[in-house]
Each structure stands twice: as structure tokens, then as C-alpha cells.
């Protein structure tokens, strides 16, 4: 179940966004709207894996694959993206401090 109130509080503290706005962005044909919501959740949500499920799987996969880690806050954004890649796409874990030592 999507917790829209928490997403609004954690991810859109600097915007006036409604539950309907979030649902619309998640299902929008406009790539910019989807990407905007994706990045807000990816970088700000305390329950990122749960909240990213607001997107249908095919759209989420595309958003993860096309997301370019920005220079600002690079290390943090890289880690969050890689965690999403591992969880949703089965990609390898690249975050050194989270890898198992054999």
C-alpha cells in the first residue's frame, strides 16, 4: 500500500503536492513528471523500496536504468540508485561497504 501522506511529507516538503498529484505523476506519459517523482522518492524517502512501487514495474525499470547520478551529492545518489538496481532489477551490488567479504 502506498503511503501518500508520508511521501508528501518526506519527499515534497518544499512543494505543495497532493496524493492525486503523486498518483498522476507516477502514471503520467510525460517522462519529465515520472522522472521528477522518481528522483524525489529515490533521494528523500525513508522507505524507498516501498515507495518506488508507486510506479508500474516496466516504468520503474526504465526510470532506474535511465537515471543519471548528478555531480551534486554524487556518492549518496549513486548508493541509492544502486540499491534500487539490486532490489528491483537484480543488478550487482557496487557499494563496497555493503558487499559481503568472502
Amino acid at each position: 500500500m502506498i503511503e501518500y501522506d508520508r511521501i508528501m511529507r518526506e519527499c515534497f516538503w518544499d512543494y505543495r503536492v497532493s496524493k492525486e498529484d503523486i498518483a498522476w505523476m507516477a502514471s503520467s506519459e510525460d517522462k519529465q513528471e515520472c522522472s521528477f517523482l522518481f528522483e524525489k522518492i529515490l533521494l528523500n524517502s525513508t522507505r524507498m523500496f516501498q515507495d518506488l512501487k508507486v510506479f508500474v514495474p516496466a516504468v520503474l525499470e526504465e526510470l532506474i536504468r535511465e537515471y543519471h547520478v548528478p555531480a551534486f551529492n554524487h556518492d549518496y545518489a549513486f548508493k541509492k540508485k544502486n540499491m534500487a538496481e539490486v532490489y528491483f532489477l537484480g543488478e550487482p551490488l557496487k557499494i563496497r561497504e555493503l558487499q559481503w567479504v568472502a
Side-chain angles (χ1 to χ4, degrees):
M1 175 162 197
I2 304 300
E3 296 179 39
Y4 290 102
D5 290 329
R6 190 180 42 70
I7 293 172
M8 290 178 343
R9 189 175 55 252
E10 292 178 359
C11 304
F12 291 98
W13 53 269
D14 53 345
Y15 289 88
R16 292 194 66 135
V17 175
S18 69
K19 297 174 189 179
E20 293 78 18
D21 293 332
I22 293 170
W24 179 82
M25 283 187 273
S27 62
S28 176
E29 298 280 327
D30 184 345
K31 253 186 136 95
Q32 272 189 310
E33 294 291 339
C34 285
S35 295
F36 176 71
L37 176 61
F38 173 77
E39 185 171 36
K40 284 295 209 177
I41 292 173
L42 182 76
L43 300 180
N44 297 299
S45 175
T46 57
R47 296 184 184 155
M48 176 186 75
F49 300 127
Q50 177 183 334
D51 294 342
L52 285 175
K53 291 179 182 177
V54 73
F55 297 101
V56 295
V59 171
L60 179 58
E61 179 178 350
E62 184 178 348
L63 289 166
I64 293 170
R65 292 193 188 282
E66 291 181 356
Y67 180 71
H68 296 288
V69 177
F72 172 76
N73 216 5
H74 180 273
D75 292 343
Y76 177 75
F78 172 80
K79 289 175 185 177
K80 296 286 276 194
K81 179 187 180 195
N82 186 233
M83 288 189 292
E85 290 170 329
V86 170
Y87 186 82
F88 290 107
L89 308 180
E91 297 287 329
L93 181 65
K94 299 173 188 171
I95 305 167
R96 187 176 199 105
E97 58 267 23
L98 296 180
Q99 293 176 341
W100 287 98
V101 178

